[in-house]
Amino acid sequence: MLSHTEENYLKALLKLSFQNEEKPEAGTNEMAAYLGVKPATATDMLKKLKEKELVTYKKYGKILLTELGRAKGIAILRKHRLWETFLYEKLDFSWDEVHEVAEQLEHIQSPKLVNKLEEFLDFPEFDPHGDPIPRANGELPTVDKVLLTDVKAGESCQVVAVKDTSTVFLQYLEKLQVTIGTLVKVMEVVDFDGSMNIQIASSDPRNVSMKFAESLFVKKKTSVTV
Amino acid sequence: MLSHTEENYLKALLKLSFQNEEKPEAGTNEMAAYLGVKPATATDMLKKLKEKELVTYKKYGKILLTELGRAKGIAILRKHRLWETFLYEKLDFSWDEVHEVAEQLEHIQSPKLVNKLEEFLDFPEFDPHGDPIPRANGELPTVDKVLLTDVKAGESCQVVAVKDTSTVFLQYLEKLQVTIGTLVKVMEVVDFDGSMNIQIASSDPRNVSMKFAESLFVKKKTSVTV
DNA sequence: TATAAAAGTTAGACTAGTCTAACAAATATA
DNA sequence: TATATTTGTTAGACTAGTCTAACTTTTATA
Ligand SMILES: [Mn+2]
Ligand SMILES: [Mn+2]
Ligand SMILES: [Mn+2]
Ligand SMILES: [Mn+2]
């Protein structure tokens, strides 16, 4: 049985491993920063997780999840994203409110609960932010996605996920009526600052910053021209 | 902000106050036994709760919730019972499985979650065991109930709650097809051992022990004779 | 390559929650 | 009322998780 704290370390390591795709290892300071603790604290915990064979750790070395540690991490991420979906779909939470509560709910221990919840939600593949929900067997649904910055002028695409899940960004998207599934057409890319003129659904085109375009994942639409 | 542990002490004190109705106070040993800790541990925590003005406590004296402590306790009980109802109604848990998970869920901090959950469940008044669910304002729905032992031969009644929520009792009730709302007619009371011959719904009469009858709350049906 | 900077570790301290063992107060009983 | 029993408290210790401050190792850079 893992404590909330241990679980948070495992999930953090998993998330960090997703970030640096090629190199799924993390450093002590990186982990500490992610979790909001001091490096000394992370060192202690990493030693403990090593004892439990959940991470590989050597003094001054990089940290990696073991198979077991990864499985535990995936299980927590699965709960997190299922709960977010529940809050969003069933309890009418907005997509900027779900994360904080799911951060607590992900630690509830009950295999039956997780699986019944998944069934109740009709086996969703993605959470409200477009992130894949791990299956009971640990597999992650995939979807090919690129950043909006990779879409060229004239191309169309569909929003599939947000890269930045901060409240301020999510609320801005809401104001712009951008949500998962929204169609976006890139009208023009401004060389000067990387900003874009985009048409959201069928509204009037508007300019968005490069920072914006770097925070949104989309799927390119094969243009419907002959 | 209260810790899980502090919350458990407050809920325990509240439940104990319901048990000894006239005297809503509890002793240190009583609390410790209820929570599965040693008396020394309870003493420490009670001092801490007194500091926070959640209980009245004096060395060697009885313990009582303050208004504030009671309100906190009620809020936790509310969450506990709403979650039990959710698990039972929406996720298909049986009534002997819900308590353990609700024991964890009751500590999730999110006022919005509680209220949305209540709304999602259509403002239930009673949990799967027939216990009243506190309202957002702290009020408890009431229902007049008596123990099955108080029902005389020839009288009919309807099951409204279980006094004993142990798995073994709940599963026995399930086997007997007794649930909240089930109609029961007392055919005969055996003076010798207090056991009863009862008819459950329209099945064949069967004998149940006094221990059984002491564990079930019912509401008397005014007989339909003229 | 020598040195400076960054990254990581260790030692020691603190809090929350728990325990055991010894003790003290309150209550029941002879 | 005197004594025994029950009830509750105190002191001291332990673990988990955190911190600060000092130190060490690794990496970057002049
Ligand atoms: Mn999240
Ligand atoms: Mn968490
Ligand atoms: Mn319960
Ligand atoms: Mn609890």
Side-chain angles (χ1 to χ4, degrees):
Chain A
M1 194 84 323
L2 300 175
S3 67
H4 284 205
T5 310
E6 290 170 322
E7 291 194 341
N8 283 340
Y9 277 80
L10 293 180
K11 195 183 63 161
L13 204 36
L14 183 70
K15 296 292 280 300
L16 288 172
S17 84
F18 290 157
Q19 265 173 42
N20 334 342
E21 291 170 44
E22 344 63 62
K23 302 214 164 179
E25 354 137 300
T28 302
N29 287 358
E30 197 180 2
M31 288 225 51
Y34 189 93
L35 288 161
V37 298
K38 300 293 167 184
T41 307
T43 299
D44 286 348
M45 181 56 82
L46 289 168
K47 285 183 190 165
K48 200 170 139 200
L49 294 175
K50 182 206 156 81
E51 272 326 292
K52 297 197 176 187
E53 300 188 46
L54 295 161
V55 305
T56 61
Y57 167 77
K58 261 201 210 111
K59 252 201 207 184
Y60 298 104
K62 290 291 169 190
I63 306 129
L64 213 54
L65 284 169
T66 62
E67 265 312 302
L68 178 61
R70 187 183 158 86
K72 300 274 186 191
I74 292 270
I76 298 153
L77 194 63
R78 168 170 157 82
K79 285 192 277 183
H80 183 96
R81 292 180 177 169
L82 282 171
W83 278 117
E84 284 193 343
T85 306
F86 169 73
L87 296 173
Y88 185 79
E89 296 289 339
K90 304 292 185 181
L91 298 196
D92 224 37
F93 276 58
S94 60
W95 69 351
D96 58 296
E97 294 173 319
V98 298
H99 181 80
E100 187 190 340
V101 183
E103 212 44 53
Q104 300 177 58
L105 287 163
E106 72 190 4
H107 301 292
I108 303 293
Q109 304 287 349
S110 165
K112 177 161 185 170
L113 176 55
V114 190
N115 296 324
K116 284 287 186 176
L117 186 64
E118 182 182 36
E119 186 186 338
F120 184 61
L121 297 171
D122 221 4
F123 300 91
E125 295 205 282
F126 300 94
D127 78 9
H129 310 113
D131 291 316
I133 299 172
R135 298 294 183 201
N137 66 11
E139 275 170 32
L140 278 156
T142 54
V143 66
D144 46 69
K145 59 184 181 189
V146 296
L147 287 177
L148 179 55
T149 43
D150 292 330
V151 181
K152 293 173 192 61
E155 290 182 334
S156 283
C157 58
Q158 188 169 21
V159 175
V160 295
V162 289
K163 185 174 181 191
D164 176 353
T165 56
S166 68
T167 299
V168 62
F169 182 56
L170 294 176
Q171 287 182 354
Y172 180 40
L173 288 175
E174 209 148 78
K175 193 178 124 207
L176 263 41
Q177 300 196 20
V178 173
T179 185
I180 305 299
T182 301
L183 289 172
V184 169
K185 181 169 185 185
V186 176
M187 310 305 284
E188 188 199 352
V189 178
V190 181
D191 279 348
F192 169 61
D193 59 3
S195 70
M196 284 179 161
N197 200 264
I198 62 173
Q199 186 180 31
I200 295 162
S202 49
S203 66
D204 290 336
R206 60 162 299 146
N207 189 266
V208 294
S209 70
M210 188 167 78
K211 184 173 176 191
F212 178 98
E214 278 171 340
S215 303
L216 209 55
F217 284 118
V218 299
K219 181 175 161 182
K220 288 191 188 177
K221 289 305 243 191
T222 45
S223 55
V224 219
T225 57
V226 237
Chain B
M1 196 85 317
L2 300 176
S3 68
H4 285 205
T5 310
E6 291 170 321
E7 290 194 342
N8 283 340
Y9 278 79
L10 292 181
K11 196 184 64 163
L13 203 38
L14 184 68
K15 296 291 280 300
L16 288 172
S17 84
F18 289 157
Q19 264 172 42
N20 336 341
E21 291 170 43
E22 343 64 59
K23 302 211 164 182
E25 354 137 301
T28 302
N29 287 358
E30 198 181 1
M31 289 224 52
Y34 189 93
L35 289 161
V37 297
K38 300 293 167 183
T41 307
T43 298
D44 286 349
M45 182 55 82
L46 290 168
K47 285 181 189 167
K48 200 170 138 200
L49 294 175
K50 182 206 156 81
E51 272 327 292
K52 297 196 176 188
E53 300 188 44
L54 295 161
V55 306
T56 60
Y57 167 77
K58 261 200 212 111
K59 250 202 207 183
Y60 298 105
K62 289 293 169 187
I63 305 127
L64 214 53
L65 285 168
T66 61
E67 264 313 300
L68 179 60
R70 186 184 159 84
K72 300 275 187 191
I74 293 268
I76 298 153
L77 195 63
R78 169 171 157 81
K79 284 192 276 182
H80 183 98
R81 292 180 178 170
L82 281 171
W83 279 116
E84 285 192 343
T85 306
F86 170 73
L87 295 173
Y88 185 80
E89 296 288 338
K90 302 292 183 181
L91 298 196
D92 224 37
F93 275 59
S94 60
W95 68 349
D96 58 295
E97 294 173 319
V98 298
H99 181 80
E100 188 190 340
V101 184
E103 208 49 50
Q104 300 178 58
L105 287 162
E106 73 190 3
H107 300 292
I108 303 294
Q109 303 287 349
S110 166
K112 176 162 185 169
L113 176 54
V114 190
N115 296 322
K116 284 287 187 179
L117 186 64
E118 181 183 35
E119 186 185 337
F120 184 61
L121 298 171
D122 222 3
F123 299 91
E125 295 204 283
F126 300 95
D127 78 10
H129 311 114
D131 291 316
I133 300 172
R135 297 295 183 199
N137 65 13
E139 273 170 35
L140 278 155
T142 54
V143 66
D144 46 67
K145 61 185 179 189
V146 294
L147 287 176
L148 179 55
T149 43
D150 291 330
V151 181
K152 292 174 190 60
E155 291 182 333
S156 283
C157 59
Q158 190 169 21
V159 175
V160 293
V162 290
K163 185 174 181 189
D164 176 353
T165 56
S166 67
T167 299
V168 62
F169 182 56
L170 294 177
Q171 287 183 353
Y172 180 41
L173 288 175
E174 210 148 76
K175 194 177 123 206
L176 263 41
Q177 300 196 20
V178 172
T179 185
I180 306 299
T182 301
L183 290 173
V184 169
K185 181 169 185 184
V186 175
M187 311 304 284
E188 188 198 351
V189 179
V190 181
D191 278 348
F192 169 63
D193 59 4
S195 72
M196 284 179 162
N197 200 263
I198 64 173
Q199 186 180 29
I200 295 162
S202 48
S203 66
D204 290 336
R206 60 164 297 146
N207 188 266
V208 293
S209 70
M210 187 166 79
K211 185 174 177 193
F212 178 98
E214 278 170 340
S215 303
L216 209 56
F217 284 117
V218 299
K219 183 174 158 181
K220 287 191 188 177
K221 291 305 245 189
T222 46
S223 53
V224 219
T225 54
V226 239

